[in-house]
Every structure is written in structure tokens, then in C-alpha cells.
Amino acid sequence: MAIYVDFMQIEFKGYKWCHMLADTLQELHDFAALIEVDERLFHRNASYPHYDVTVQMREIAIEYGAIPAGRKKIIECAKKLKVELHEQIARSEDC
């Protein structure tokens, strides 16, 4: 399992926010649950699926094994997660 957090620090509502991604959506959701990230912070309709996490949550994620990742790795994961999400949506529409 590989979880990645970027180095962004976007200021919003008094906090600094980063992005958390993974190699698969299941890994991402499982890890978010493990470190108690609210599921409402998952953005499935953004340009790519990810969790927004505060800088403090990012530190907790790293303590639990998340890997600080640069732009190249984040984009690579983002593309894979986007494809996986679209495949899940397509399968659910076929039912």
C-alpha cells in the first residue's frame, strides 16, 4: 500500500491544506479511515479524486507511513485514480 501527500499549503478557512492520494481508491479510503479523515474531505468530482487534508493531518499521515511526494508522483497517482473512479462509475451504471 502506498499513500502519498503533496507539499501544497493552500490556505482556506483558517487552515493550510494539502492533498492525499494513493495507488488505488480502496487504499486511499482505507488509509483515510485509519487516520480518521472525514469522508466529506474526499473530492471525487475534482479534476482528480483525492482527500484534502490539513497540514496537521498530513503529519499524522506521514507518521502512519504516507510518503511525501512531489508533483510528478502526485500527477501519476491522480491519473490512475481518475481512471479507476471512472471505471467504477461505469460499472455501477451498467447494473
Side-chain angles (χ1 to χ4, degrees):
M1 173 193 301
I3 307 298
Y4 306 96
V5 288
D6 66 12
F7 296 97
M8 299 294 293
Q9 291 193 15
I10 300 165
E11 292 194 31
F12 183 70
K13 293 191 176 186
Y15 296 94
K16 291 183 179 180
W17 297 84
C18 307
H19 303 109
M20 184 170 72
L21 299 96
D23 288 330
T24 70
L25 288 170
Q26 190 62 52
E27 289 173 342
L28 181 59
H29 294 307
D30 290 348
F31 191 82
L34 174 70
I35 64 169
E36 299 180 352
V37 173
D38 191 314
E39 62 188 33
R40 293 176 294 178
L41 295 175
F42 179 66
H43 294 273
R44 69 180 286 144
N45 296 321
S47 52
Y48 58 90
H50 67 279
Y51 278 88
D52 282 341
V53 294
T54 64
V55 172
Q56 292 81 8
M57 288 182 218
R58 179 185 186 274
E59 293 304 316
I60 293 168
I62 291 169
E63 288 174 15
Y64 277 79
I67 302 164
R71 181 173 167 78
K72 183 178 178 180
K73 185 63 176 177
I74 293 296
I75 290 171
E76 176 187 317
C77 287
K79 288 178 180 180
K80 283 194 273 184
L81 291 177
K82 189 172 186 174
V83 167
E84 184 181 350
L85 180 61
H86 287 301
E87 288 173 352
Q88 284 181 2
I89 291 168
R91 282 193 303 271
S92 68
E93 289 173 353
D94 290 342
C95 295

